[in-house]
Amino acid sequence: MDRMEQLILQRIDENRDKIIEFGRDIYTHAELGYKEYRTAGKFVEALKECGIEEIQEGLAVTGVKGYLNGGAEGPTVALIGELDALAIPNHKYAWEETGAAHCCGHHAQMAGIMGAAIGLCDPEIAKELSGRVCFYAVPSEECGEVDFKRSLMDQGIIRYLGGKCELIRIGAFDDIDVNVVHHTITDQKVIFGSATNNGFTAKTVRYKGIATHAAGSPHKGVNALNAAALGISAIQYQRETFQDKDTVRIHPIITKGGDLVNVIPDDVVVETLVRANTMEMVMDADKKADRAFRAGAIAVGAGMELITMPGYLPNIPLKNNNALEKAYDTMKEHCGYELTWVTEKDHGTGSTDVGDLQHIMPTMEFRTGGACGGGHQVNYDICDEDLAYVITAKIFALAAYHLLKDGAAMAKDVKETFNAKLTKEEYLDYMEKTNRVEVIEIDRP
């Protein structure tokens, strides 16, 4: 451990209580995607307290970037935290104003970024950096409230569901050379490196029928709920065509099922995500899902509007994790927690928009424990604040330091050895091709 590393860790330890208090505040004031105004505001306040003056706000609605300039010119390293939470109103720490709760640990990311800023903004440390550190708060990682986000799309406010996807689109990652991202896990350990994850598309299916008296004249109507039920059932009959190795997941919900029990439903809405571990298999499952939903409408003569929206790309682990390797070596000396690296078998069937970044630019990832209960569940909680918040801050700060020290040799190496799967233009072309609407008219009785 060199002297700058010691100073970074010392500065973070000295501000332990402040970092934990910030984490608690975000934890108990959770907000949903593209609505994270309070959280973004608190992050801006924290950056200003660290002496950061160059701050951009309102990126993709609520995103924030704050820049720390090093002592010399060089690459820009982004330390990324996610602003949003989940709609879990019965969680014990759900914020009553939003019905949202941080049951995925994004508040711990924000505490980690804030703590890293405290550690790196010491003038003695900053002058050792060749380049810039971007403390980056991004909106809407969780793919919820699809109807709300679709309304933002219709207004031209956003184009994509995911915050990172939208920030890529508007050019807010154009000045970034290397990203460092984090996720919280329900374990008492630290994991370095990226696992693979599923990618997905998102769908909203609106079945249109003809309302009539459900008992007196059902023959005069077209039952949109029956169309939806058939469409969902048809998806089940696709299951045998999916191979286990592709980890396909399709999980529809009915968000509107009718208005009155004695009226044939004429407006029924289904939402689903279609997931798999390669883009080829996402597209295969996507085609089969469309076929199933279409069949439900055709079977009963209902109308249908099938909206498909680009979701997230599968995660692709970065091979060159040199800065995380250095952070790993340092943390071994004083961490007090189990440290490990991901293996090729570590695949998550959930999804994250980190994969979108990983397709076009070098993005390294680590995870810290400290949470307990189940992710995305009402029993989720933080049981070790030091691990969830403070250790996270230390690893973020150490990774940035090693990437940008010694003339930013590590950051330059990561960038030069990175083999992009897609250019930004190819990525946006894929996203646009996935953004489509299909309409079937009602076959009137």
Side-chain angles (χ1 to χ4, degrees):
M1 186 187 309
D2 67 28
R3 199 176 73 81
M4 288 301 107
E5 289 178 291
Q6 292 175 341
L7 186 55
I8 287 170
L9 298 180
Q10 177 185 327
R11 288 279 291 138
I12 291 173
D13 282 333
E14 289 171 349
N15 288 274
R16 171 189 176 274
D17 292 346
K18 186 175 182 179
I19 295 166
I20 289 175
E21 181 55 38
F22 182 85
R24 289 174 180 171
D25 180 68
I26 303 302
Y27 189 33
T28 55
H29 296 86
E31 298 175 296
L32 297 172
Y34 293 125
K35 302 176 184 177
E36 314 98 325
Y37 296 103
R38 182 188 185 278
T39 309
K42 288 292 182 180
F43 183 61
V44 170
E45 290 176 15
L47 293 180
K48 289 179 178 178
E49 287 181 13
C50 291
I52 294 175
E53 298 178 351
E54 185 181 352
I55 298 174
Q56 299 175 12
E57 301 180 59
L59 302 168
V61 186
T62 53
V64 177
K65 295 166 77 175
Y67 293 92
L68 170 66
N69 293 315
E73 295 293 322
T76 299
V77 171
L79 308 182
I80 297 176
E82 294 157 353
L83 291 161
D84 64 328
L86 295 154
I88 304 182
N90 56 337
H91 187 270
K92 64 180 179 180
Y93 291 120
W95 191 20
E96 61 182 12
E97 290 192 20
T98 62
H102 277 291
C103 297
C104 199
H106 293 180
H107 69 293
Q109 297 174 7
M110 297 306 301
I113 299 294
M114 176 265 199
I118 290 174
L120 294 168
C121 284
D122 183 297
E124 187 177 358
I125 297 166
K127 73 178 183 180
E128 296 296 318
L129 307 178
S130 295
R132 299 195 299 174
V133 181
C134 175
F135 304 100
Y136 208 155
V138 304
S140 188
E141 187 273 340
E142 300 292 350
C143 190
E145 290 198 303
V146 174
D147 269 356
F148 165 71
K149 291 173 183 175
R150 184 73 199 182
S151 73
L152 296 183
M153 294 176 185
D154 292 341
Q155 298 172 62
I157 296 172
I158 62 171
R159 185 73 179 157
Y160 305 136
L161 297 172
K164 298 183 191 69
C165 313
E166 185 67 12
L167 290 162
I168 292 169
R169 183 186 73 83
I170 66 174
F173 275 98
D174 289 356
D175 66 338
I176 305 299
D177 296 291
V178 180
N179 299 302
V180 183
V181 301
H182 163 265
H183 215 90
T184 305
I185 55 175
T186 55
D187 209 336
Q188 290 299 102
K189 61 184 178 182
V190 179
I191 303 176
F192 293 86
S194 298
T196 56
N197 278 86
N198 277 2
F200 74 90
T201 59
K203 296 182 182 293
T204 297
V205 191
R206 184 177 294 274
Y207 289 102
K208 302 298 290 185
I210 297 175
T212 184
H213 196 293
S217 55
H219 59 286
K220 295 182 179 179
V222 174
N223 193 316
L225 183 59
N226 286 347
L230 286 169
I232 292 172
S233 294
I235 285 176
Q236 311 311 315
Y237 288 107
Q238 309 294 323
R239 303 281 179 186
E240 66 183 13
T241 72
F242 301 140
Q243 298 185 64
D244 293 346
K245 67 181 179 65
D246 299 318
T247 62
V248 175
R249 302 286 190 272
I250 306 176
H251 39 92
I253 61 171
I254 295 177
T255 59
K256 182 179 181 183
D259 298 310
L260 293 171
V261 72
N262 62 345
V263 177
I264 293 292
D266 66 342
D267 186 20
V268 172
V269 180
V270 177
E271 291 182 7
T272 194
L273 303 184
V274 179
R275 308 185 198 243
N277 57 27
T278 67
M279 290 316 300
E280 292 76 15
M281 293 315 302
V282 170
M283 291 297 98
D284 178 75
D286 181 274
K287 178 180 69 174
K288 292 173 181 176
D290 283 358
R291 194 167 63 197
F293 287 129
R294 193 181 299 123
I298 293 170
V300 300
M304 181 193 72
E305 181 185 51
L306 173 54
I307 301 169
T308 300
M309 292 160 281
Y312 304 157
L313 275 61
N315 279 30
I316 301 176
L318 183 68
K319 301 299 183 183
N320 188 349
N321 280 291
N322 51 19
L324 286 185
E325 290 168 7
K326 285 292 185 180
Y328 175 86
D329 291 340
T330 300
M331 297 305 290
K332 277 197 304 186
E333 299 180 28
H334 84 289
C335 183
Y337 296 95
E338 178 188 354
L339 306 181
T340 186
W341 285 86
V342 296
T343 70
E344 292 184 0
K345 295 181 180 179
D346 291 330
H347 177 74
T349 49
S351 308
T352 167
D353 54 7
V354 169
D356 295 68
L357 290 179
Q358 290 173 330
H359 272 73
I360 64 175
M361 60 194 305
T363 303
M364 54 185 63
E365 184 176 7
F366 70 99
R367 307 179 208 175
T368 56
C372 49
H376 290 212
Q377 296 179 33
V378 72
N379 65 343
Y380 184 94
D381 204 356
I382 298 297
C383 52
D384 186 336
E385 293 177 312
D386 280 292
L387 180 53
Y389 306 146
V390 182
I391 296 296
T392 300
K394 290 178 177 180
I395 298 174
F396 264 131
L398 289 171
Y401 166 67
H402 282 292
L403 283 165
L404 295 178
K405 67 176 287 195
D406 298 330
M410 284 192 178
K412 292 175 182 177
D413 180 51
V414 170
K415 188 174 181 181
E416 289 169 3
T417 59
F418 178 69
N419 182 25
K421 299 296 182 183
L422 298 170
T423 65
K424 177 184 172 182
E425 291 71 25
E426 289 170 338
Y427 168 77
L428 294 175
D429 182 61
Y430 161 77
M431 297 292 275
E432 288 305 309
K433 286 179 179 176
T434 315
N435 220 353
R436 62 184 188 272
V437 178
E438 177 183 348
V439 176
I440 294 176
E441 299 296 334
I442 298 175
D443 184 6
R444 297 183 176 274

